[in-house]
Amino acid sequence: QVQLVESGGGLVQAGGSLRLSCAAPGRTFSNYARGWFRQAPGKEREFVAAISRVGGSRSYADSVKGRFTISRDNAKNTVYLQMNSLKPEDTAVYYCAADNSIETIINRAGYVEVWGQGTLVTVSS
């Protein structure tokens, strides 16, 4: 049963922007921390960004700080990842995640409770 659905991926030139969305049809995640991960070809999955239940706390990987912004709209049960100044090395499948603990999302990805199926982002040079 699909619980998180990502959208917004696609092909963009370096320097461009994309906004990813992660919806949760059929289940409410307003009481969960939310996050984004990515996995590039031939590489391990890596943490990208996380946001606390009400959005008061956010965390980013060093590689995306200043370029990516995570946000959430609990009324729409949706989390977003605004990606600006994209680089070819940002090319990856992006996954959204949900867990009771933002610390789990940031530091213990293997224990994250809920995952989406991913959306592909390709940045051309």
Side-chain angles (χ1 to χ4, degrees):
Q1 182 178 0
V2 176
Q3 299 189 75
L4 295 175
V5 180
E6 302 94 337
S7 62
L11 175 64
V12 63
Q13 289 188 333
S17 298
L18 282 175
R19 188 177 83 153
L20 305 182
S21 299
C22 176
R27 181 176 172 182
T28 298
F29 286 97
S30 58
N31 290 327
Y32 280 67
R34 305 287 293 275
W36 289 94
F37 291 78
R38 67 187 181 186
Q39 186 167 19
K43 295 187 177 181
E44 294 187 352
R45 179 182 58 196
E46 65 174 356
F47 167 76
V48 174
I51 188 167
S52 59
R53 292 181 178 86
V54 294
S57 178
R58 307 180 193 196
S59 182
Y60 298 93
D62 288 342
S63 59
V64 306
K65 279 181 182 176
R67 300 188 298 122
F68 290 12
T69 301
I70 188 170
S71 62
R72 65 188 297 163
D73 184 338
N74 284 339
K76 296 182 178 179
N77 206 21
T78 299
V79 65
Y80 305 96
L81 185 68
Q82 178 66 44
M83 305 186 295
N84 298 329
S85 302
L86 282 161
K87 305 175 182 179
E89 51 263 45
D90 294 317
T91 294
V93 176
Y94 284 71
Y95 299 89
C96 69
D99 195 272
N100 281 316
S101 167
I102 192 172
E103 291 300 323
T104 298
I105 292 175
I106 297 170
N107 296 313
R108 297 188 297 274
Y111 294 91
V112 167
E113 180 179 345
V114 187
W115 291 94
Q117 293 184 317
T119 186
L120 177 63
V121 172
T122 304
V123 184
S124 64
S125 57

